[in-house]
Amino acid sequence: MAKQYTKKLIHDTFINMLNEKPLKKITVKELACACEINRNAFYYYYSDLYELLSEIFEKELQRVITEFNETLSWEDSFKVATKFALANKKAIYHVYDSMQQEELIRYIYNVSGNMMERYVNNRDKNVSTSESDKALLVAFFQCALSGMVIRWIHSGMKEEPEEIIQRIGFLLDGTVETALTRSAAINELSNFLDI
């Protein structure tokens, strides 16, 4: 119980600090002091701030996976996935603007991929799409969504992402379902011609 409390305290304090200043200006000593623990207590759980950051992103990814709801549109699913970023814009920007940018990009890529894989698999229930086509479709949307989020962060997160997500959703409405149906039709035709 104390272990979980201490880890949550370290996580929350670190995120609060990241919302105040860049990652490169945060030290373990300062974080431990803000948590009212000694540095050895910090090092009991983490080897450095980067390991802590990696664990925070991993926990957020697990939260997104847990909160995914098959009844949601991909747009609403993506809003769930971006909840952490929206609540911690400065922290996200400070990580993006640091040497740990790759960790953030990996997190964004993993969230986008996981969300789209589950969404595509959920939409594929009534058709027999090839696994290679599903993987291609997931990869395409994973790259597109990740690129949009990274572009948004890079531009200073000035735009409201919900408006962008809704607009993209409107423009691409039915694209996933249409692609799955086309794949299934090609598979059926190939199977028929092979007979």
Side-chain angles (χ1 to χ4, degrees), residues 26-140:
I26 299 173
T27 65
V28 170
K29 181 179 178 181
E30 181 182 21
L31 177 58
C33 184
C35 292
E36 298 180 356
I37 61 174
N38 63 39
R39 285 175 26 161
N40 287 342
F42 174 87
Y43 287 119
Y44 176 76
Y45 299 108
Y46 306 102
S47 60
D48 55 28
L49 293 174
Y50 307 120
E51 183 181 352
L52 169 59
L53 184 63
S54 180
E55 182 176 284
I56 289 170
F57 284 139
E58 185 59 36
K59 282 186 79 171
E60 279 305 308
L61 176 61
Q62 290 307 312
R63 181 195 58 79
V64 170
I65 291 168
T66 302
E67 288 184 22
F68 181 85
N69 183 332
E70 292 180 352
T71 63
L72 296 177
S73 65
W74 72 262
E75 300 94 332
D76 290 333
S77 298
F78 203 64
K79 287 177 191 172
V80 169
T82 58
K83 187 168 35 174
F84 177 75
L86 292 173
N88 297 285
K89 283 184 178 181
K90 284 188 178 179
I92 294 296
Y93 187 75
H94 286 148
V95 173
Y96 180 77
D97 197 36
S98 75
M99 297 296 285
Q100 291 303 110
Q101 185 182 92
E102 288 299 317
E103 190 72 38
L104 176 62
I105 291 171
R106 186 176 313 117
Y107 164 73
I108 292 167
Y109 195 75
N110 287 339
V111 166
S112 299
N114 182 280
M115 186 200 68
M116 285 311 302
E117 181 176 10
R118 293 173 76 179
Y119 182 80
V120 167
N121 285 333
N122 186 47
R123 295 299 181 265
D124 185 47
K125 290 180 179 173
N126 298 327
V127 293
S128 57
T129 308
S130 74
E131 290 302 314
S132 61
D133 283 348
K134 283 196 301 188
L136 188 61
L137 194 57
V138 168
F140 174 80

